[in-house]
Amino acid sequence: LPRWLPWWLSRCLRWLLWGLPWDDARHEARNDASWGHDAWVQSHDDDDDMMMMMMQNMMMQQAQKMQGGGDAAANPMAAMMGGGMPAEAGGGSSSAKKRDPSPQKNDEEIDPDIRELGDYFNIEERWIKRLNETMSKRRDTKAQDIEKLYEVLERARSPTGLLTVQIGKMECGQFVGKIKPDKDVERLARKFKLDDHVTSRLTELKVCRRTSGQEERGLKDLERLEQHLRYCKRPNAMATLLAGKLLEGEVDELPDLAEAEKIMEKYKLDEDARSKLREIVEKRADDKDEVLATVKKHLDTSTFASSMLCKIARTLIDGEKLADPPDRPPKGKGKGRDDDGGGDRDRDRRDRDKDRDRDRDRRDRSRDRDRDRDRDRDRDRDRD
């Protein structure tokens, strides 16, 4: 493209914006003596000014459209000349007035207790603000909520991550603050020597049941929990695990151990075997009756019930199906006269024992006769 083309286009656009006909602008542009490179260089500054005027014109048009101006929108060049140009010359028009900055809203002030909790656990600022916003709707239980958050976050590997979960529970109405345990939970804690954290979890479980109108279900949960803790080696850890499953909704209720306790008493299982049987019932709660029937069959055919239960426990806990044991006559059978097969075998054994004793006696008598004969022969030889 020729180097004079931009200059020529700017000149044409300049005359068009000032309202001159196209023919006059083209005629003046052609008659102008600045077709060459030198004229283009001289008018370069004029082109820059022209571009600035065009940009100002566009900005004025946008402002007039927003304000709904009539005549000024129809003649933007006049508006620019009447408003923008005097402002540049130092005039005092309204368009030259500077806007006052809009006042910015200050962030809500963070509660000092929440700020202290955030600093203690090194919580991110955005989560502190969200916690402050959520806690502002729970003014009545603020002290209990703060105390509960300290207790929960103290054991967390990632306090920020766990705090987000607790905030979600607050927003859903599922968060329970620090509450003094009732008599049922205190009795359970004293019996199994549970620590404060586990006691708090059990209290939270019962409060959740009471809040949802299921107080009887809460008592049932504690009763089943007591059954399971009776047959585990580490009650603290087991209570934490089972209470967590109930609170998180992983299980609706804990399985009943009444049938398993009958098996424990019948076969006189030791402590390890009882713990394994409890775990089997917990893991196989859906088909508990079928699994316990299989356990009975294996214990009936074994001499040492506790060892047999520990042997088959892993297969049942993993959810695998255990084959039935081979048939074996019950204890005490096969030795009476009414059982023909057993009686014949015992009779044959007695007959063989009698024959063996008879032969032994015959051999002993034969040896005695030989000994007597040799003694007589020796006596006769001495006489001669």
Side-chain angles (χ1 to χ4, degrees):
L1 294 177
R3 285 183 286 182
W4 49 264
L5 183 60
W7 169 84
W8 186 80
L9 290 175
S10 64
R11 295 283 291 184
C12 293
L13 184 60
R14 180 178 177 182
W15 288 106
L16 283 174
L17 290 176
W18 284 353
L20 296 178
W22 166 253
D23 292 336
D24 295 342
R26 183 178 56 183
H27 177 71
E28 183 174 351
R30 284 182 177 178
N31 293 335
D32 203 333
S34 51
W35 278 84
H37 176 64
D38 296 336
W40 177 79
V41 173
Q42 293 177 0
S43 62
H44 186 66
D45 295 334
D46 295 336
D47 295 338
D48 293 339
D49 296 337
M50 185 62 191
M51 294 299 294
M52 292 294 296
M53 293 173 62
M54 290 171 60
M55 292 181 66
Q56 290 179 359
N57 184 22
M58 293 173 63
M59 293 174 63
M60 291 295 297
Q61 287 181 359
Q62 287 289 72
Q64 289 169 0
K65 286 181 181 179
M66 294 177 63
Q67 296 175 2
D71 295 335
N75 191 0
M77 198 62 188
M80 182 187 68
M81 296 296 294
M85 296 297 288
E88 294 178 0
S93 64
S94 61
S95 61
K97 293 181 180 180
K98 295 183 180 180
R99 295 182 180 179
D100 295 334
S102 59
Q104 297 180 355
K105 295 182 179 180
N106 296 327
D107 294 337
E108 186 178 359
E109 185 178 358
I110 305 297
D111 189 276
D113 295 334
I114 297 177
R115 173 64 67 184
E116 183 179 357
L117 183 140
D119 294 341
Y120 182 80
F121 292 106
N122 196 20
I123 305 297
E124 297 178 12
E125 183 65 23
R126 57 193 181 105
W127 292 113
I128 295 178
K129 292 180 179 179
R130 183 173 173 183
L131 177 61
N132 184 73
E133 180 182 354
T134 306
M135 292 285 290
S136 63
K137 305 173 184 177
R138 299 170 59 93
R139 296 293 184 184
D140 297 337
T141 60
K142 173 190 170 184
Q144 293 87 345
D145 293 345
I146 293 291
E147 188 175 357
K148 182 67 175 180
L149 286 176
Y150 271 104
E151 178 184 337
V152 173
L153 299 181
E154 191 70 40
R155 296 171 174 266
R157 295 183 179 178
S158 174
T160 301
L162 186 56
L163 179 62
T164 60
V165 177
Q166 302 303 322
I167 292 175
K169 288 184 178 181
M170 289 182 185
E171 294 173 349
C172 297
Q174 298 178 355
F175 183 82
V176 179
K178 186 74 172 179
I179 302 176
K180 184 179 180 180
D182 61 359
K183 59 180 181 178
D184 295 328
V185 177
E186 285 184 344
R187 180 186 61 81
L188 206 62
R190 286 195 303 267
K191 181 177 181 179
F192 297 103
K193 299 179 181 180
L194 304 178
D195 59 20
D196 294 338
H197 175 69
V198 180
T199 304
S200 177
R201 293 287 281 177
L202 297 180
T203 304
E204 181 180 353
L205 173 62
K206 192 168 183 181
V207 170
C208 288
R209 295 289 192 244
R210 187 187 304 129
T211 304
S212 59
Q214 300 176 339
E215 189 170 358
E216 294 183 359
R217 184 180 174 185
L219 295 174
K220 185 178 180 181
D221 288 337
L222 292 181
E223 180 183 353
R224 296 280 179 85
L225 187 63
E226 184 176 358
Q227 284 183 341
H228 284 262
L229 296 181
R230 195 179 299 137
Y231 303 109
C232 64
K233 298 179 180 179
R234 295 182 295 174
N236 247 327
M238 182 57 61
T240 304
L241 178 64
L242 297 180
K245 288 183 177 181
L246 291 171
L247 285 170
E248 299 297 334
E250 296 182 13
V251 294
D252 293 334
E253 62 179 11
L254 297 177
D256 190 8
L257 295 180
E259 188 66 25
E261 287 178 338
K262 294 180 181 179
I263 296 177
M264 296 175 188
E265 296 297 331
K266 179 180 178 180
Y267 297 98
K268 299 179 180 179
L269 301 180
D270 58 16
E271 184 180 357
D272 292 338
R274 294 187 181 206
S275 178
K276 291 292 184 182
L277 185 58
R278 185 215 66 80
E279 189 175 0
I280 290 172
V281 174
E282 180 194 351
K283 299 297 183 182
R284 302 293 293 272
D286 296 336
D287 54 348
K288 177 183 64 175
D289 297 335
E290 181 181 352
V291 171
L292 290 179
T294 304
V295 170
K296 288 181 181 179
K297 291 180 181 180
H298 281 268
L299 297 184
D300 286 336
T301 59
S302 64
T303 306
F304 302 101
S306 297
S307 300
M308 175 58 69
L309 182 61
C310 293
K311 180 179 179 181
I312 64 177
R314 179 48 54 190
T315 303
L316 296 175
I317 291 172
D318 292 341
E320 301 178 5
K321 189 174 182 180
L322 192 64
D324 293 337
D327 294 334
R328 178 180 176 182
K331 297 180 181 179
K333 299 294 184 180
K335 296 182 180 180
R337 294 180 180 180
D338 295 336
D339 192 347
D340 295 337
D344 292 341
R345 286 194 297 271
D346 291 342
R347 193 177 301 112
D348 293 341
R349 188 181 300 110
R350 287 195 296 271
D351 292 341
R352 286 194 301 271
D353 292 341
K354 288 180 180 180
D355 293 340
R356 191 180 299 110
D357 294 339
R358 192 181 298 112
D359 291 341
R360 187 182 299 109
D361 293 340
R362 189 181 299 112
R363 285 194 301 271
D364 291 341
R365 286 193 301 269
S366 178
R367 280 195 296 270
D368 291 340
R369 284 194 301 269
D370 292 341
R371 192 179 297 110
D372 292 341
R373 190 182 299 112
D374 293 340
R375 189 181 299 110
D376 292 340
R377 189 181 299 115
D378 293 339
R379 188 180 300 113
D380 292 340
R381 188 181 300 111
D382 292 338
R383 288 175 185 175
D384 295 339

